[in-house]
Amino acid sequence: MSTAAINRVEKLVSKLCEQQVEILDRLAGLEARLPESNAPSKTDVIKFLDGFRAFEELGEASFGAWIETCTTDQLNGALRTIQMREGGHARLLGQRLKDLGAAQSFEVPEEYRVETMECLGSCERSDASKLVEVTSKYTDVDSVIKPITDFADRLDCDPVTQSLLRSIADDERSTLTCLFAACAEMNPA
């Protein structure tokens, strides 16, 4: 190859390098202007849904145990509605996991499960004391709902899961509002 040809190739390579640097600088500028994504990974979504599903299953079972021992007719009807919601949520969350290609794997720790079932299924405890036990775990309804809605708000890339969680959060709000009201009524200060 002649010296002139080598010089032309070197000039082309140099120009290409300059263009590449310019393109990389432009890309860096564009990336800096993009909003930072806080969307959870698919693994995070699956973990959240699976844990939520397991606790909703426990809710269905424990409210069922409470219904069997409930002596307050008005509360009994509310508990039946709550149990139905909890079971429905568990099944919906389980189906969403399946749709995402995941299997149900999370299990509520046995100690917590036993404690919950013994408390709500106890014949020795009054309905009023069970309401105090359940509601005393939460400062208010919003503090329980917030983690669900916050997670849903991050799921713009998965509108199916997002709308599912928002709908369940609405049901949970109704459940907790009912339990707090019943507790206040049955345990006047």
Side-chain angles (χ1 to χ4, degrees), residues 125 133 140:
R125 295 188 70 171
E133 179 72 24
D140 59 62

Side-chain angles (χ1 to χ4, degrees), residues 58-75:
L58 176 58
E60 180 181 31
S62 61
F63 280 103
W66 189 352
I67 290 165
E68 295 299 316
T69 62
C70 183
T71 59
T72 311
D73 291 341
Q74 185 176 359
L75 181 61

Side-chain angles (χ1 to χ4, degrees), residues 58-71 79 83 112-127 129-131 133-134 137:
L58 176 58
E60 180 181 31
S62 61
F63 280 103
W66 189 352
I67 290 165
E68 295 299 316
T69 62
C70 183
T71 59
L79 294 176
Q83 180 194 30
Y112 183 81
R113 185 176 143 38
V114 168
E115 178 184 314
T116 301
M117 293 298 291
E118 285 178 355
C119 172
L120 297 184
S122 171
C123 293
E124 287 79 41
R125 295 188 70 171
S126 69
D127 292 327
S129 72
K130 290 176 187 180
L131 284 165
E133 179 72 24
V134 169
K137 295 177 182 182

Side-chain angles (χ1 to χ4, degrees), residues 11-111:
K11 283 183 183 180
L12 284 173
V13 169
S14 176
K15 189 171 184 173
L16 284 173
C17 287
E18 288 173 14
Q19 288 175 337
Q20 185 178 20
V21 168
E22 183 182 324
I23 289 169
L24 291 173
D25 286 344
R26 283 182 178 176
L27 284 174
L30 289 173
E31 287 175 351
R33 286 186 271 168
L34 289 175
E36 195 173 304
S37 175
N38 68 345
S41 68
K42 184 176 179 181
T43 302
D44 291 338
V45 171
I46 289 168
K47 185 178 176 182
F48 184 88
L49 295 178
D50 196 26
F52 196 2
R53 173 210 48 83
F55 279 98
E56 292 296 279
E57 285 178 353
L58 176 58
E60 180 181 31
S62 61
F63 280 103
W66 189 352
I67 290 165
E68 295 299 316
T69 62
C70 183
T71 59
T72 311
D73 291 341
Q74 185 176 359
L75 181 61
N76 192 286
L79 294 176
R80 289 177 188 280
T81 302
I82 292 167
Q83 180 194 30
M84 183 269 317
R85 284 184 193 142
E86 299 291 290
H89 298 162
R91 286 183 283 288
L92 288 166
L93 293 164
Q95 182 60 52
R96 188 64 189 140
L97 284 168
K98 186 177 178 182
D99 294 346
L100 293 171
Q104 299 175 12
S105 62
F106 182 82
E107 293 185 26
V108 174
E110 185 65 18
E111 182 179 303

